[in-house]
Structure formats: C-alpha cells, structure tokens
Amino acid sequence: MQFDAQWLLLALAPVFLACIGWEAWHLARTRPDTALYSWPDTLCNAALALMHQGADKLAWLVAIPVYAWVWRHGRLTDWQPGWRAWLVLFVAQDLLYYVFHRASHRVRWLWAAHVVHHSSGRLNLSTAFRQSLMYPVAGMWLFWIPLAVIGFTPMQIVGIVLVNLAFQFFVHTQAIRKLGWLEYVFNTPSMHRVHHARNERYIDRNYAGVLAIWDRLFGSYVEEDALEPPVYGIVKPLDTYNPLKASFHEWIAMARDCARMPDWRTRLAALFAPPDWCARHDLALAPQASQAAVTENNTRGECGSREP
C-alpha cells in the first residue's frame, strides 16, 4: 500500500502536538515570567492550520494535473530512483522555496497570504500551524512547476514540498538557542526567530526553508543578536484571534488600495509592487498628510517590507 504524500502533515500531527505540549510545559517551568503561549492564540493557530489544510487539498486537485502535464510534455530529463535524484530534488525545491519566500515579502499579492504567518505576537511551535488558506490563490503552487520541468513527477513534487514544510515546524521555537556549526548549514530556531521579528534590523531577513546557504549566498542573512532580542509579529498588531480576519485583512486592504488608484498602472502596483508601495506613493503625492497616514497605519512595518 503506497502512502499518499498529500497526507504527510496530517500523519505527523500527533508528533507536532506532542512537541507543542512539551514546549508549553518546558517554557512554563523554565520561563514562568513570560507568556509564550496563550489559549486564544494557540486555538487561532490551530483553526488556521485546519483551514489551510482544507484549501491545500483542494489546490492539489488543480496543481497536480498541471505538474503532470508539464512532466509529460515539457520535462528535460528523467531520473533513476536513487540518492542523486533525491538530492537534486531536495536542493532544487529548497532553492525554489527561498525564491517563493523572498517574493512573498516583496510582492504584495503574495504577502497578502503570507502575512497570516507573521501576524501573531508570539513565537512558539504552534505558530508553525499559522498558515493561510489563500496560498493557492496567491499562487504558491506555481513556484514548484520548474521541478516538473527538470523531470520530477507530481507525487515527488508534493512529497518534497511537504517534507520541507514539516522540517520548518521545528524552527518555530524559543526553547532552543544557537546550534553552533549547524547555523551555517541549516535553518535553525535562532535563524528563524530573526525572520519572525519586527525589529528594524531583522525585518525581511532569513528566508530559508531547510538550508541556510541561500540567505548567505544572496545577502539576506542576519544573525540573531543577544543584545537585541526579537520582538515578534507585525508592527501594527492584528489585535484579533479571529482566524477569518487574520486570513483576509490584508486582502481587503489591498483591494481598497487598488480601487482608489487613478489608473491601471498604479492599480497593478497596488497589487504586485512591494507591500509598502501604496504608502510611499501616498507620501510622494502629499508628504504631510501621507506621513500621518503611514504613521497611523504602520503600512511599512505591517507589510514586513524594507527597501532591498
């Protein structure tokens, strides 16, 4: 009987829940002065996870036939089963994940989905569950099409994507400090704490999935500094534990910005430019009024954006 890779994350759910239980117990015992878990936040994360899983299952119904068509008609090579094929698949998908993740902080259409993952003011293992049901609409699945082009089957693609996401569960923790030489090779809790922080020096850094090499290679790596502990979440807090508001608040804001733009160029920019483009556009048109709006709305910080 062959295991369906689409069910991997659900199959691992008992492991994830056991790890969350251990982390909550450990942090309550060792750091009782810090509220690193709260029931409303954790339940919101769980609801978002279930919504994401449902949307993901529906998305694969569309994505898998696309991957299959590309693999049948457009693949460049065939791979024999073995460690070479697995290594190429693993490295290629991890690079594509880096591209997707970085784009998700620099393209507002993608950020509208990804902001859900960053919108909690806490970081713990349950935060890994905090995913958006809108990823399929944003187009996350499109980033894996090159894997079919280089010769990998749809099931191999689905499997490696889910393995990558399963690994990332374990980096959403404050219970593990730096890991020595592993920091140079793999995404680690320390590295990922930086990614979730809203401190100015940490925003839009450390996009790694599994391998740390891409951030170091492409200049997006920042080390966690003990003198500047990460402050988590988005600069303008979401201030709700409603999973529907968490899922759609940025889509609503983006639609409003698009609707108020005067022409098709600026409407497209409101959708696909960096997330802080509208704030900078307003500032250029009316400096004093727009500066007040930027301060009030925390647009730049909320979008997790900075100029490259």
Side-chain angles (χ1 to χ4, degrees):
M1 182 176 178
Q2 187 174 7
F3 177 73
D4 186 346
Q6 296 181 62
W7 296 102
L8 177 62
L9 295 185
L10 287 176
L12 289 173
V15 176
F16 295 156
L17 292 174
C19 290
I20 289 171
W22 173 85
E23 183 191 48
W25 170 83
H26 174 75
L27 292 175
R29 187 172 60 90
T30 59
R31 299 169 65 177
D33 56 328
T34 56
L36 299 181
Y37 272 89
S38 81
W39 278 111
D41 181 72
T42 303
L43 291 174
C44 179
N45 295 341
L48 287 165
L50 292 174
M51 292 160 61
H52 168 257
Q53 283 295 303
D56 231 26
K57 290 294 291 182
L58 293 175
W60 289 129
L61 296 178
V62 175
I64 288 175
V66 173
Y67 300 154
W69 187 91
V70 174
W71 180 79
R72 284 195 301 269
H73 302 287
R75 70 181 184 273
L76 300 177
T77 188
D78 290 298
W79 294 92
Q80 295 299 317
W83 68 268
R84 286 188 180 87
W86 185 90
L87 183 62
V88 171
L89 176 62
F90 168 77
V91 173
Q93 192 276 328
D94 198 59
L95 173 58
L96 291 171
Y97 179 84
Y98 174 89
V99 173
F100 157 75
H101 199 180
R102 188 162 184 167
S104 292
H105 284 251
R106 303 305 302 149
V107 178
R108 192 177 185 186
W109 182 267
L110 294 168
W111 174 250
H114 189 58
V115 67
V116 177
H117 187 59
H118 285 266
S119 59
S120 174
R122 290 176 167 83
L123 182 73
N124 52 58
L125 288 174
S126 80
T127 309
F129 286 178
R130 194 180 184 91
Q131 302 292 341
S132 175
L133 63 83
M134 296 297 284
Y135 275 132
V137 175
M140 183 180 185
W141 59 276
L142 295 170
F143 285 82
W144 319 135
I145 288 178
L147 297 175
V149 174
I150 62 175
F152 293 104
T153 67
M155 285 300 100
Q156 288 174 315
I157 295 170
V158 173
I160 200 64
V161 167
L162 296 180
V163 166
N164 191 298
L165 292 177
F167 171 88
Q168 291 183 52
F169 169 84
F170 298 100
V171 300
H172 291 82
T173 182
Q174 298 183 58
I176 298 173
R177 296 303 172 186
K178 292 188 178 180
L179 295 176
W181 64 268
L182 291 175
E183 301 284 341
Y184 293 93
V185 182
F186 297 108
N187 188 12
T188 65
S190 175
M191 187 174 176
H192 204 62
R193 285 193 291 269
V194 166
H195 180 70
H196 273 265
R198 57 186 171 95
N199 313 50
E200 176 66 22
R201 73 187 300 263
Y202 293 152
I203 290 175
D204 284 353
R205 300 295 181 180
N206 297 2
Y207 300 108
V210 176
L211 299 175
I213 57 174
W214 313 121
D215 283 296
R216 295 177 182 274
L217 183 62
F218 298 121
S220 52
Y221 175 77
V222 168
E223 184 175 1
E224 183 182 25
D225 187 345
L227 299 178
E228 188 174 354
V231 179
Y232 300 108
I234 50 182
V235 171
K236 182 181 178 182
L238 189 58
D239 289 333
T240 181
Y241 297 112
N242 184 325
L244 291 177
K245 290 183 178 179
S247 295
F248 296 112
H249 75 280
E250 179 62 16
W251 291 96
I252 294 170
M254 182 173 63
R256 288 173 177 165
D257 283 339
C258 181
R260 68 182 175 83
M261 290 298 157
D263 55 61
W264 68 269
R265 287 188 177 87
T266 52
R267 291 189 191 106
L268 286 176
L271 297 176
F272 300 109
D276 60 348
W277 180 87
C278 287
R280 292 186 284 108
H281 175 265
D282 292 345
L283 188 62
L285 291 179
Q288 292 184 344
S290 295
Q291 183 60 57
V294 171
T295 302
E296 179 184 353
N297 295 326
N298 285 310
T299 305
R300 179 172 176 272
E302 177 175 341
C303 293
S305 300
R306 75 155 109 212
E307 291 300 303

